[in-house]
Amino acid sequence: MRVLHRSTSSGELALNVRVAGVDRDRPPVVLVHGMAGDHSTWRTFARALRREGRSVVSVDLRGHGRSGHAATYRLDDFRDDLRFVLDDLDIEVADVVAHSLGAHSALRLAMDVPNRVRRVVLEEIPPMPRDQHDLDENIVVAASLGERVRGLGWAVRNPVPIIRFDRRVATDVSTQFEVADPDWWTRLRAVTAPALVISGGRRSFLPSQHLRTLSEVLPDGRFAVIDAGHSVHRDRAADFGSAAGEFLRAS
């Protein structure tokens, strides 16, 4: 594990990352967890990547895992943290695989610095609301009751992410999804990386049609459904690994 120290307007922020493997021929794969998780959620997928000889960087977002709690949790803060990780580790370009809040952060990164992201897997990414119609659907950026029940066993086996999670993240992030942002959809055109959008299907609280629409707006987007609920990589690890691994190898 490594702790990177980022200077912010409110002080120094510690960002925890796990770096494993050396691959001199291909970019590293950066793994970014969802809300209330940490880098450990990727253990199975990270192990599969390392078996293929890939180098892997697993990140704890601010307010999560062993990273520090922060004064602000703006969506662009998470994006900027990911860019700092790339800079601090001297990573010129990376493949990124990310879940939920992490996927949203990764996509903002790909919008902001498209030359730094080669390929990106966006698992159960919450899109910004486009208009009042989207707002009226009242889609919350949080796990449903069914998802929480399915995750209970994982939390019992590994309670650290829940214990270390800053509860302010959920409130601050959810508030930002309560405002329509059509410009976010326009800026998707800046993404140059091939993108695989993975939906958890009808068991997820995120409507699959919104994720399909997102994949169609992206310049080089693909769409897949794995009927697992919100945590596809956790609850259907083999299917997720097959889809994401094949997509990364395609380059």
Side-chain angles (χ1 to χ4, degrees):
M1 303 303 299
R2 296 177 60 175
V3 179
L4 312 181
H5 297 278
R6 181 186 172 206
S7 296
T8 71
S9 58
S10 55
E12 189 175 87
L13 175 67
L15 294 170
N16 184 74
V17 299
R18 185 177 191 274
V19 182
V22 176
D23 186 346
R24 304 191 186 283
D25 299 320
R26 293 168 293 183
V29 182
V30 176
L31 304 178
V32 194
H33 62 81
M35 189 182 294
D38 71 359
H39 70 279
S40 65
T41 191
W42 295 111
R43 282 174 181 160
T44 299
F45 187 59
R47 190 179 305 118
L49 289 171
R50 292 196 302 272
R51 282 199 298 267
E52 292 185 12
R54 299 298 300 265
S55 55
V56 180
V57 177
S58 305
V59 179
D60 282 352
L61 293 172
R62 62 169 61 196
H64 296 76
R66 289 179 169 79
S67 288
H69 292 192
T72 61
Y73 293 107
R74 294 183 296 266
L75 294 168
D76 283 346
D77 290 336
F78 297 108
R79 174 202 67 192
D80 293 344
D81 290 344
L82 292 180
R83 185 172 181 177
F84 173 81
V85 168
L86 295 184
D87 290 343
D88 200 70
L89 296 178
D90 294 322
I91 297 172
E92 182 177 348
V93 62
D95 290 337
V96 184
V97 179
H99 174 230
S100 194
L101 172 61
H104 190 94
S105 307
L107 186 51
R108 285 181 179 252
L109 178 73
M111 291 179 188
D112 192 50
V113 284
N115 60 313
R116 306 290 298 275
V117 179
R118 185 179 71 159
R119 297 177 81 81
V120 60
V121 178
L122 304 167
E123 174 197 354
E124 278 286 290
I125 174 176
M128 295 302 294
R130 289 165 291 186
D131 49 31
Q132 189 60 45
H133 181 269
D134 282 358
L135 292 171
D136 289 343
E137 288 195 61
N138 195 30
I139 302 169
V140 294
V141 188
S144 64
L145 177 60
E147 173 64 25
R148 291 174 185 174
V149 170
R150 288 194 293 275
L152 183 60
W154 291 87
V156 170
R157 289 193 292 274
N158 181 21
V160 173
I162 293 297
I163 292 171
R164 293 183 178 272
F165 177 54
D166 187 348
R167 301 303 192 271
R168 290 188 301 116
V169 174
T171 301
D172 290 358
V173 167
S174 295
T175 298
Q176 294 169 80
F177 280 94
E178 293 171 1
V179 179
D181 188 0
D183 182 59
W184 182 86
W185 288 84
T186 301
R187 290 186 291 116
L188 291 173
R189 296 295 182 185
V191 178
T192 58
L196 173 62
V197 179
I198 297 179
S199 165
R202 52 191 173 77
R203 299 177 70 187
S204 171
F205 61 87
L206 289 178
S208 187
Q209 69 267 21
H210 291 313
L211 276 66
R212 181 184 292 276
T213 298
L214 171 60
S215 72
E216 292 169 349
V217 173
L218 287 165
D220 191 1
R222 301 95 190 271
F223 180 71
V225 177
I226 300 174
D227 192 18
H230 188 53
S231 293
V232 182
H233 73 281
R234 183 192 70 193
D235 295 334
R236 294 276 293 275
D239 292 331
F240 177 87
S242 177
E246 181 179 350
F247 176 75
L248 295 178
R249 287 190 297 271
S251 60

